[in-house]
Amino acid sequence: MAAHPPKTKILISENKRLQNLKEAFEKKYGEAPLFYAQAPGRVNLIGEHIDYCGYAVLPMAIEQSILAAVTVNDSKKIHLANTDPKYKDFTVSSEDIEIDKDNPQWYYYFLCGVKGIQEHLGKVPLSGMKCVVDGTIPASSGLSSSSALVCCAALLTMEANHKSLNKVALAEISAKCERYIGTEGGGMDQSISFLAEEGTAKLIEFHPLRASDVRLPEGALFVISNCCVEMNKAASSHFNIRVVECRIATKMLAKARGLEWGRLLKLSQVQTELEASLEEMLRLVAEVLHPEPYSREEVCKALGITTEQLCTDLLSPNTQHVTQFKLYQRARHVYGEAARVLRFKSVCDEAPSAPNGVQRLGDLMKQSHASCRDLYECSCPELDQLVETCLQSGAVGSRLTGAGWGGCAVSMVPTDKVESFLKSVRELYYTPDPRRAELENHSLFVTKPGGGAAIFLED
Ligand SMILES: Nc1ncnc2c1ncn2[C@@H]1O[C@H](COP(=O)(O)OP(=O)(O)O)[C@@H](O)[C@H]1O
Ligand SMILES: CC(=O)N[C@H]1[C@@H](OP(=O)(O)O)O[C@H](CO)[C@H](O)[C@@H]1O
């Protein structure tokens, strides 16, 4: 049976962040926290925009996290505050949780987690809670700050209501309930936030959800750098447009091969039904789809559906305006990237010192970035410039990580070159631009695989 998130006793006075949070909580509510919950962000090493197509991804948790201090009462009110003054206080009745997709405020992410647990427990009345949230994950930068917040809220709601669930169940509930905010993500972020273990990256596979250890090569470290452009997924339609394009491509490929296309939703399902290899799927894309964008009319004609059916069955609420769909490019990216994840994993599975291991992984990262940039079009000029700078500065591989359109790159750097790499990226990317220079402290750092979500009690 899958394990439950750890519950650890901790000396608050020996942990600066917990100590500061405890003081903020006491100042805000005039009482001491009962317990703390923490959920980490993640960096995805390879496998971008393929989790929602059903394909395996390869992330690791990072040290940065969402941490919350909590007390419980019988008021049925949930009071939320944040250590960052830009996130305003909010109070809501636990019997009346509504999430406004058109206005993705920070507390709605929190309430996604609460609502997910409430529904799982069968709409039982929830305890009242007072919470202060403290986050160290740069927001809207591809390191999963939103999912860490959702996971933290789900975990603390379980604890506040004296219930417990295993990590897999919590990850599945959190992936499902984050969709209340409107983005149709695939579950990578919530899965690694709960299933991460210190010292190892994970191959996360779906249907059923499972995680296996991936031993990273000796002699290289992973460095995160933020291009300093933010992109909020829920406040724009970029992300859901890609989800919808993949859904339409699924239907078109399935119909062309005589499958029951009406019930298929993910590109991986077409592969499973055809019992084909990923290489064969890439050939199928080239045979069936054309590189020119598809109009709505062409999609409707090919599938034999009306525009109304396209809008209600295939488009999401925030993609109703889209008129063109790049099906060929998106499907090629997905099948190609799914194959790169498997190659990355098999290189890692070879002996840690296998010949050219680091170089081969670096090449896969470079190919992944090129595919995200050119086929999936989820990069941006600043992120491309940063990836180039990282390669010039000594990285063996570098790529955007997370949703993209801004945010972070992850680079693999030979351990003995890390110092010169950091110096060079600082000089070439951050120092010349005053805004970037100001953000550099939290924007350029070495990262190692961290542990998953946990509850802390004061010792
Ligand atoms: N420390 C935090 N406190 C409160 N809300 C946060 C915090 N960090 C992130 N968020 C919420 O998550 C949103 C970012 O979500 P999103 O754009 O999906 O980015 P990411 O890629 O980091 O998940 C922020 O706009 C904010 O509402
Ligand atoms: C919550 C959510 O929607 N997260 C999705 C998003 O991550 P981030 O916005 O980087 O957290 O983009 C990646 C792209 O690989 C995955 O699809 C993931 O599921």
Side-chain angles (χ1 to χ4, degrees):
M1 215 182 77
H4 290 229
K7 205 191 279 193
T8 318
K9 287 206 166 172
I10 193 160
L11 267 177
I12 304 286
S13 55
E14 287 184 0
N15 180 314
K16 192 90 193 95
R17 188 172 170 208
L18 278 167
Q19 181 64 39
N20 288 344
L21 179 58
K22 182 180 175 189
E23 282 164 17
F25 191 97
E26 285 169 344
K27 192 161 169 229
K28 179 85 199 162
Y29 298 119
E31 57 184 313
L34 181 64
F35 69 89
Y36 302 81
Q38 185 173 37
R42 60 101 188 93
V43 56
N44 190 20
L45 300 181
I46 196 157
E48 225 58 86
H49 287 278
I50 60 172
D51 57 348
Y52 52 81
C53 297
Y55 283 113
V57 291
L58 213 153
M60 64 191 198
I62 54 177
E63 181 197 328
Q64 291 79 350
S65 68
I66 298 283
L67 177 67
V70 188
T71 54
V72 181
N73 57 55
D74 55 12
S75 70
K76 299 207 175 120
K77 289 258 187 294
I78 299 174
H79 296 273
L80 301 178
N82 202 298
T83 53
D84 183 338
K86 87 169 171 237
Y87 299 118
K88 302 291 172 221
D89 292 3
F90 189 71
T91 299
V92 65
S93 160
S94 65
E95 292 172 321
D96 186 25
I97 298 177
E98 297 283 345
I99 288 144
D100 183 358
K101 288 183 181 173
D102 297 326
N103 177 26
Q105 296 292 333
W106 79 275
Y107 41 80
Y108 288 131
Y109 291 91
F110 190 101
L111 293 176
C112 282
V114 178
K115 197 173 165 77
I117 295 300
Q118 188 173 40
E119 288 177 353
H120 179 84
L121 297 176
K123 292 242 172 196
V124 293
L126 291 181
S127 309
M129 298 191 285
K130 289 179 183 162
C131 307
V132 177
V133 170
D134 176 67
T136 50
I137 310 166
S140 299
S141 299
L143 301 179
S144 281
S145 66
S146 61
S147 303
L149 182 54
V150 173
C151 292
C152 182
L155 180 60
L156 67 83
T157 304
M158 288 300 289
E159 181 68 16
N161 289 277
H162 309 292
K163 300 275 193 288
S164 78
L165 277 175
N166 68 48
K167 297 177 189 181
V168 168
L170 283 163
E172 285 179 329
I173 292 170
S174 304
K176 192 166 145 227
C177 68
E178 187 164 347
R179 297 192 193 116
Y180 294 142
I181 205 82
T183 46
E184 301 193 11
M188 154 168 65
D189 308 342
Q190 302 84 356
S191 306
I192 190 69
S193 196
F194 281 109
L195 297 168
E197 282 171 291
E198 207 169 332
T200 174
K202 293 276 181 181
L203 181 78
I204 303 279
E205 297 170 272
F206 303 96
H207 319 296
L209 174 60
R210 56 215 188 273
S212 37
D213 291 358
V214 177
R215 196 148 64 126
L216 296 171
E218 285 169 4
L221 287 171
F222 288 89
V223 181
I224 294 177
S225 51
N226 193 336
C227 80
C228 305
V229 175
E230 285 189 9
M231 202 289 286
N232 182 286
K233 283 194 307 294
S236 74
S237 52
H238 299 304
F239 187 85
N240 279 1
I241 291 175
R242 295 296 178 275
V243 177
V244 161
E245 287 174 314
C246 290
R247 194 179 295 150
I248 298 175
T250 300
K251 308 272 177 196
M252 300 281 269
L253 292 172
K255 183 149 192 266
R257 280 297 170 269
L259 302 177
E260 266 186 66
W261 60 273
R263 66 179 175 80
L264 302 185
L265 292 167
K266 296 181 181 181
L267 285 165
S268 61
Q269 294 171 320
V270 185
Q271 186 195 1
T272 307
E273 295 276 323
L274 293 175
E275 296 181 15
S277 67
L278 286 163
E279 287 65 34
E280 286 166 330
M281 292 312 294
L282 282 165
R283 280 199 290 279
L284 180 66
V285 171
E287 272 170 41
V288 172
L289 301 174
H290 56 66
E292 297 73 30
Y294 286 71
S295 66
R296 285 173 167 235
E297 293 68 34
E298 190 178 1
V299 169
C300 290
K301 192 162 168 233
L303 294 177
I305 58 171
T306 61
T307 310
E308 289 68 41
Q309 285 170 315
L310 174 78
C311 291
T312 51
D313 300 348
L314 299 182
L315 303 185
S316 65
N318 69 345
T319 57
Q320 296 289 321
H321 62 286
V322 181
T323 54
Q324 297 220 308
F325 307 94
K326 293 196 179 174
L327 307 183
Y328 167 87
Q329 292 82 347
R330 309 314 183 216
R332 260 191 63 197
H333 166 77
V334 169
Y335 291 127
E337 185 76 353
R340 280 186 287 275
V341 171
L342 301 181
R343 272 185 239 132
F344 195 99
K345 165 84 165 65
S346 72
V347 174
C348 291
D349 285 346
E350 290 176 21
S353 52
N356 303 327
V358 169
Q359 194 59 51
R360 283 186 286 156
L361 297 179
D363 289 344
L364 289 167
M365 292 174 76
K366 288 192 233 173
Q367 290 161 19
S368 168
H369 183 75
S371 182
C372 287
R373 182 191 60 212
D374 302 334
L375 294 174
Y376 221 69
E377 296 178 283
C378 62
S379 189
C380 68
E382 294 83 352
L383 200 40
D384 290 338
Q385 184 202 342
L386 178 57
V387 164
E388 279 310 311
T389 304
C390 290
L391 292 171
Q392 268 176 36
S393 302
V396 278
S398 184
R399 56 180 296 280
L400 69 82
T401 186
W405 295 285
C408 292
V410 56
S411 303
M412 192 165 67
V413 183
T415 310
D416 59 352
K417 289 202 182 139
V418 166
E419 281 316 312
S420 63
F421 171 85
L422 293 171
K423 183 167 178 287
S424 167
V425 175
R426 208 172 283 137
E427 281 171 9
L428 294 172
Y429 192 81
Y430 292 97
T431 315
D433 177 320
R435 200 181 74 85
R436 290 178 191 164
E438 201 183 310
L439 297 170
E440 189 226 293
N441 253 351
H442 302 285
S443 298
L444 180 65
F445 51 91
V446 176
T447 189
K448 286 190 178 151
I455 298 281
F456 302 125
L457 302 168
E458 182 158 11
D459 197 5

